[in-house]
Short mmCIF file of all heavy atoms in Angstrom, two decimals:
data_model
loop_
_atom_site.label_atom_id
_atom_site.label_comp_id
_atom_site.label_asym_id
_atom_site.label_seq_id
_atom_site.Cartn_x
_atom_site.Cartn_y
_atom_site.Cartn_z
N TYR A 118 115.38 192.77 1.40
CA TYR A 118 114.44 192.08 0.51
C TYR A 118 113.68 190.99 1.30
O TYR A 118 112.44 190.98 1.33
CB TYR A 118 115.18 191.45 -0.67
CG TYR A 118 114.30 190.76 -1.66
CD1 TYR A 118 113.69 191.47 -2.69
CD2 TYR A 118 114.04 189.39 -1.56
CE1 TYR A 118 112.86 190.83 -3.60
CE2 TYR A 118 113.21 188.76 -2.45
CZ TYR A 118 112.62 189.48 -3.48
OH TYR A 118 111.79 188.84 -4.37
N HIS A 127 104.76 194.15 -3.16
CA HIS A 127 105.82 193.51 -3.95
C HIS A 127 107.13 194.22 -3.60
O HIS A 127 107.12 195.35 -3.14
CB HIS A 127 105.54 193.65 -5.45
CG HIS A 127 106.44 192.76 -6.29
ND1 HIS A 127 106.49 191.41 -6.13
CD2 HIS A 127 107.31 193.06 -7.28
CE1 HIS A 127 107.35 190.89 -6.99
NE2 HIS A 127 107.87 191.87 -7.69
N ASN A 128 108.25 193.53 -3.81
CA ASN A 128 109.54 194.16 -3.55
C ASN A 128 110.56 193.72 -4.59
O ASN A 128 110.37 192.71 -5.25
CB ASN A 128 110.01 193.92 -2.12
CG ASN A 128 110.20 192.45 -1.81
OD1 ASN A 128 109.91 191.58 -2.60
ND2 ASN A 128 110.67 192.16 -0.61
N ILE A 147 102.42 198.89 -9.51
CA ILE A 147 101.96 197.89 -8.52
C ILE A 147 101.35 198.60 -7.31
O ILE A 147 100.30 198.20 -6.80
CB ILE A 147 103.12 196.97 -8.10
CG1 ILE A 147 103.58 196.13 -9.31
CG2 ILE A 147 102.72 196.07 -6.95
CD1 ILE A 147 104.93 195.45 -9.10
N ASP A 301 89.85 193.47 -4.35
CA ASP A 301 90.78 192.37 -4.05
C ASP A 301 90.00 191.07 -3.94
O ASP A 301 89.27 190.84 -2.98
CB ASP A 301 91.49 192.69 -2.72
CG ASP A 301 92.50 191.62 -2.34
OD1 ASP A 301 92.56 190.58 -3.02
OD2 ASP A 301 93.23 191.84 -1.35
N ALA A 302 90.19 190.19 -4.93
CA ALA A 302 89.42 188.94 -4.98
C ALA A 302 89.66 188.10 -3.74
O ALA A 302 88.77 187.36 -3.31
CB ALA A 302 89.80 188.14 -6.23
N SER A 303 90.84 188.21 -3.12
CA SER A 303 91.13 187.36 -1.97
C SER A 303 90.39 187.82 -0.71
O SER A 303 90.35 187.12 0.29
CB SER A 303 92.63 187.31 -1.71
OG SER A 303 93.10 188.53 -1.25
N LEU A 305 87.11 188.49 -0.87
CA LEU A 305 85.77 187.96 -1.04
C LEU A 305 85.73 186.55 -0.43
O LEU A 305 86.62 185.76 -0.69
CB LEU A 305 85.38 187.95 -2.52
CG LEU A 305 85.48 189.33 -3.20
CD1 LEU A 305 85.33 189.19 -4.71
CD2 LEU A 305 84.44 190.30 -2.65
N ASP A 306 84.71 186.29 0.36
CA ASP A 306 84.55 184.97 1.01
C ASP A 306 85.66 184.67 2.04
O ASP A 306 85.77 183.54 2.49
CB ASP A 306 84.53 183.82 -0.02
CG ASP A 306 83.45 184.02 -1.07
OD1 ASP A 306 82.41 184.60 -0.73
OD2 ASP A 306 83.64 183.60 -2.22
N HIS B 21 113.30 184.32 -10.97
CA HIS B 21 114.41 185.12 -10.41
C HIS B 21 114.57 184.76 -8.94
O HIS B 21 113.72 184.06 -8.37
CB HIS B 21 114.18 186.62 -10.64
CG HIS B 21 113.04 187.20 -9.88
ND1 HIS B 21 113.12 187.51 -8.57
CD2 HIS B 21 111.79 187.51 -10.26
CE1 HIS B 21 111.98 188.02 -8.16
NE2 HIS B 21 111.14 188.03 -9.16
N GLY B 23 114.08 185.84 -6.03
CA GLY B 23 113.16 186.11 -4.93
C GLY B 23 111.85 185.32 -4.98
O GLY B 23 111.09 185.33 -4.02
N SER B 26 110.97 182.61 -2.34
CA SER B 26 110.74 183.16 -1.01
C SER B 26 109.35 183.81 -0.94
O SER B 26 108.64 183.69 0.06
CB SER B 26 111.90 184.09 -0.65
OG SER B 26 111.51 185.35 -0.36
N HIS B 27 108.91 184.45 -2.04
CA HIS B 27 107.54 185.00 -2.08
C HIS B 27 106.50 183.90 -1.97
O HIS B 27 105.54 184.01 -1.22
CB HIS B 27 107.33 185.79 -3.38
CG HIS B 27 107.83 187.21 -3.31
ND1 HIS B 27 107.02 188.25 -2.95
CD2 HIS B 27 109.03 187.75 -3.56
CE1 HIS B 27 107.71 189.38 -2.99
NE2 HIS B 27 108.95 189.10 -3.36
N ARG B 34 103.61 181.70 6.43
CA ARG B 34 103.08 182.66 7.39
C ARG B 34 101.59 182.48 7.62
O ARG B 34 101.01 183.15 8.46
CB ARG B 34 103.44 184.10 7.01
CG ARG B 34 102.85 184.61 5.75
CD ARG B 34 103.28 186.08 5.57
NE ARG B 34 102.94 186.55 4.26
CZ ARG B 34 103.72 186.44 3.19
NH1 ARG B 34 104.90 185.88 3.30
NH2 ARG B 34 103.33 186.89 2.02
N ARG B 70 93.87 182.08 -3.87
CA ARG B 70 93.61 183.49 -4.24
C ARG B 70 94.78 184.38 -3.86
O ARG B 70 95.11 185.32 -4.60
CB ARG B 70 92.33 183.98 -3.54
CG ARG B 70 91.08 183.30 -4.06
CD ARG B 70 89.87 184.00 -3.51
NE ARG B 70 88.66 183.24 -3.85
CZ ARG B 70 87.44 183.73 -3.73
NH1 ARG B 70 87.25 184.95 -3.29
NH2 ARG B 70 86.38 182.99 -4.05
N GLN B 71 95.38 184.11 -2.70
CA GLN B 71 96.56 184.91 -2.30
C GLN B 71 97.72 184.68 -3.28
O GLN B 71 98.42 185.61 -3.67
CB GLN B 71 97.01 184.55 -0.88
CG GLN B 71 96.03 184.94 0.21
CD GLN B 71 95.92 186.44 0.41
OE1 GLN B 71 96.76 187.20 -0.07
NE2 GLN B 71 94.87 186.88 1.09
N LYS B 74 97.61 186.62 -6.38
CA LYS B 74 97.90 188.07 -6.24
C LYS B 74 99.40 188.38 -6.33
O LYS B 74 99.77 189.54 -6.52
CB LYS B 74 97.41 188.57 -4.87
CG LYS B 74 95.95 188.94 -4.86
CD LYS B 74 95.43 189.11 -3.46
CE LYS B 74 96.12 190.21 -2.68
NZ LYS B 74 95.56 190.35 -1.32
N GLU B 76 102.86 189.21 -7.58
CA GLU B 76 103.26 189.86 -8.82
C GLU B 76 103.98 188.90 -9.78
O GLU B 76 103.79 188.98 -10.99
CB GLU B 76 104.17 191.04 -8.46
CG GLU B 76 104.64 191.87 -9.62
CD GLU B 76 103.55 192.68 -10.30
OE1 GLU B 76 102.45 192.83 -9.72
OE2 GLU B 76 103.78 193.12 -11.44
N ASP B 77 104.79 188.01 -9.24
CA ASP B 77 105.58 187.12 -10.09
C ASP B 77 104.85 185.83 -10.44
O ASP B 77 105.41 185.00 -11.16
CB ASP B 77 106.91 186.79 -9.40
CG ASP B 77 107.88 187.96 -9.50
OD1 ASP B 77 107.95 188.60 -10.56
OD2 ASP B 77 108.55 188.25 -8.49
#
Side-chain angles (χ1 to χ4, degrees):
Chain A
Y118 182 86
H127 193 58
N128 60 356
I147 295 166
D301 181 352
S303 68
L305 303 170
D306 304 329
Chain B
H21 68 78
S26 123
H27 276 267
R34 65 178 170 272
R70 291 190 189 194
Q71 293 292 344
K74 275 167 63 178
E76 181 69 15
D77 284 319

